[in-house]
Amino acid sequence: MSALPSTYETTTLLDGVVSLGAHAFPQDALGDDTVVIKPDYIGICRADAKEILGSRDVMEDRGPLFGHELVGIVTFSGARTGFREGDLVTLNPNITPARTTGFAEYIFVHGTKEELDQAVVRVPEPDIRDDIWMPEPFACIVHALGKLLELADLPSLRGKRVGIIGAGCAGLMFAMYARHLGASVAVFNRGASRRAFAREQGILAEDEIFPLTAAGDHHDEFDIVIAAPTIATTEILEVAAGMANDGAVLFVYGGTRKGDTFPAGGADVDTIRRQERIESVEYAGKRLHVSGAYGCFKEDYEDGFRLHAEHPDEFPLERLTSGRIGLGDFPQLVMNVAAGKEDYPGKVLIKIAGHG
Ligand SMILES: NC(=O)c1ccc[n+]([C@@H]2O[C@H](COP(=O)([O-])OP(=O)(O)OC[C@H]3O[C@@H](n4cnc5c(N)ncnc54)[C@H](OP(=O)(O)O)[C@@H]3O)[C@@H](O)[C@H]2O)c1
């Protein structure tokens, strides 16, 4: 077993306050069913900010998401886990709640061999530690568009016009993948900074990114509209429905909560998204197919790695990174982001000092 420390730094989220502190390394947690990951990089996700605010429904079967995007090395593998020390891995947070936060120097994941095989995903790209990108958010996009094709019974997106609301990380990755699947894309974002980021990073062309206020100029234009903002509010879904043509798919990806409907009193968008359904609604004289997706599986990570390896120019996922910080700077930064005092386009990563 590689040398493990007597203490390690980890974060705690309690009553909306994030703190970082040294904790005794739990030697008694090193059971046969445990994998310990030492992360090189941890990604900050919008879901982390929502959990600070308490504005996200936590699913009991998978637990809080706070600290779920990471790439690291297995530093301890219990006898029954199927992993080996030195394995380069990432996490799928959709499998088990029996894990500790990723915002730490070490992460503990417990489960049966079958659970761990799904929850801890091997990364086939040794170079990822030099040119970092986060596999989990991309796996969710791969899963979501695959689900959209399946639910809408489409063989591909060839020739389809796809409108996307939100040029956050999710919206930009949807654009990359929808283009790869043959669609033309137009992304609509409220603020100027994410629009500029998308252009400057070469992720979207001038004619693919618009202010959200321009959505009205694109009425009835899109075969598929993906709503990928922080929260899929009624107002945003109304804008999305306006952009959709008669018979279009309105795909809900951004946050929803129990009881959310669209149109008011119509389709239960939270259930549609979390249970990955499709349902037809009438809206402003149009028939729309409301659909959505939630989470991802190991196979989606594997498809994501394959897409990135085979089409690096179409999936410049490394260019989504907008900043790197140390773990010591994380609590204040993430609380400022949650409070709306700071905002960063793309993805901010935490580099764990001395790892990698
Ligand atoms: N279904 C799933 O499996 C799944 C998985 C992961 C994430 N998600 C969802 O996807 C959401 C977006 O994730 P992300 O990583 O792209 O977040 P992000 O990078 O923080 O981007 C957030 C986006 O939401 C926009 N936005 C926020 N408030 C808005 C408002 N009031 N009106 C219009 N636009 C608004 C932002 O636009 P501005 O630039 O104008 O602020 C930005 O484009 C998450 O919050 C989460 O709910 C879903």
Side-chain angles (χ1 to χ4, degrees):
M1 194 196 306
S2 55
L4 293 168
S6 55
T7 63
Y8 77 116
E9 296 276 320
T10 187
T11 51
T12 309
L13 167 57
L14 196 61
D15 297 331
V17 177
V18 181
S19 54
L20 176 69
H23 289 238
F25 195 91
Q27 295 289 342
D28 56 352
L30 303 181
D32 283 354
D33 65 346
T34 301
V35 171
V36 182
I37 305 168
K38 190 175 178 183
D40 293 330
Y41 286 96
I42 308 154
I44 303 174
C45 172
R46 185 56 59 180
D48 302 316
K50 287 186 190 173
E51 287 188 1
I52 293 171
L53 295 172
S55 65
R56 174 173 186 276
D57 296 335
V58 172
M59 308 289 278
E60 276 179 26
D61 63 343
R62 52 198 83 179
L65 281 177
F66 191 71
H68 66 282
E69 294 182 6
L70 59 96
V71 169
I73 298 289
V74 171
T75 52
F76 171 83
S77 53
R80 287 200 298 267
T81 63
F83 284 87
R84 289 207 307 226
E85 281 177 39
D87 284 347
L88 178 62
V89 295
T90 187
L91 182 72
N92 182 357
N94 300 292
I95 306 300
T96 170
R99 56 187 163 79
T100 55
T101 179
F103 294 128
E105 289 180 311
Y106 293 89
I107 292 121
F108 299 76
V109 191
H110 310 280
T112 62
K113 191 172 179 184
E114 292 70 29
E115 284 167 338
L116 291 169
D117 179 59
Q118 291 292 320
V120 182
V121 180
R122 288 186 181 78
V123 178
E125 292 188 12
D127 295 350
I128 199 169
R129 299 165 85 193
D130 303 321
D131 212 359
I132 188 71
W133 58 279
M134 284 295 128
E136 190 268 348
F138 186 46
C140 287
I141 301 300
V142 170
H143 176 78
L145 272 193
K147 190 50 80 176
L148 188 156
L149 293 178
E150 177 193 319
L151 292 171
D153 200 17
L154 293 168
S156 83
L157 293 182
R158 195 146 305 286
K160 299 288 178 198
R161 289 158 302 175
V162 175
I164 298 168
I165 298 187
C169 294
L172 296 182
M173 288 187 286
F174 268 123
M176 292 179 198
Y177 195 24
R179 269 187 321 221
H180 175 76
L181 293 173
S184 62
V185 300
V187 181
F188 296 82
N189 196 70
R190 177 188 59 174
S193 119
R194 284 188 174 79
R195 297 200 300 270
F197 180 77
R199 278 193 300 265
E200 285 158 12
Q201 295 298 97
I203 295 169
L204 295 177
E206 285 293 335
D207 61 355
E208 292 178 319
I209 177 82
F210 305 90
L212 187 54
T213 48
D217 304 335
H218 296 264
H219 227 72
D220 298 344
E221 193 172 302
F222 297 99
D223 306 304
I224 293 162
V225 182
I226 300 172
T230 302
I231 299 171
T233 59
T234 304
E235 294 72 26
I236 288 177
L237 292 180
E238 281 170 353
V239 172
M243 292 161 54
N245 62 25
D246 189 21
V249 178
L250 199 172
F251 196 76
V252 184
Y253 189 80
T256 55
R257 299 199 81 171
K258 203 168 165 40
D260 288 356
T261 57
F262 183 80
D268 175 344
V269 286
D270 187 59
T271 302
I272 284 175
R273 183 174 84 107
R274 292 188 199 276
Q275 297 187 8
E276 307 191 325
R277 298 182 184 174
I278 191 159
E279 192 175 317
S280 299
V281 300
E282 296 292 329
Y283 180 81
K286 295 186 272 194
R287 191 163 187 75
L288 301 177
H289 306 288
V290 180
S291 183
Y294 189 70
C296 57
F297 297 102
K298 178 182 180 183
E299 296 69 33
D300 302 308
Y301 286 78
E302 291 170 347
D303 284 347
F305 289 129
R306 182 183 51 74
L307 287 167
H308 182 249
E310 290 177 4
H311 309 280
D313 296 339
E314 291 178 51
F315 296 98
L317 299 161
E318 307 79 2
R319 285 192 240 144
L320 287 171
T321 300
S322 59
R324 296 178 192 212
I325 61 168
L327 192 57
D329 293 325
F330 166 70
Q332 194 58 57
L333 180 137
V334 77
M335 284 195 290
N336 285 348
V337 167
K341 294 180 189 162
E342 291 180 56
D343 185 31
Y344 301 92
K347 185 147 293 290
V348 176
L349 300 179
I350 301 165
K351 168 83 179 107
I352 300 294
H355 290 201

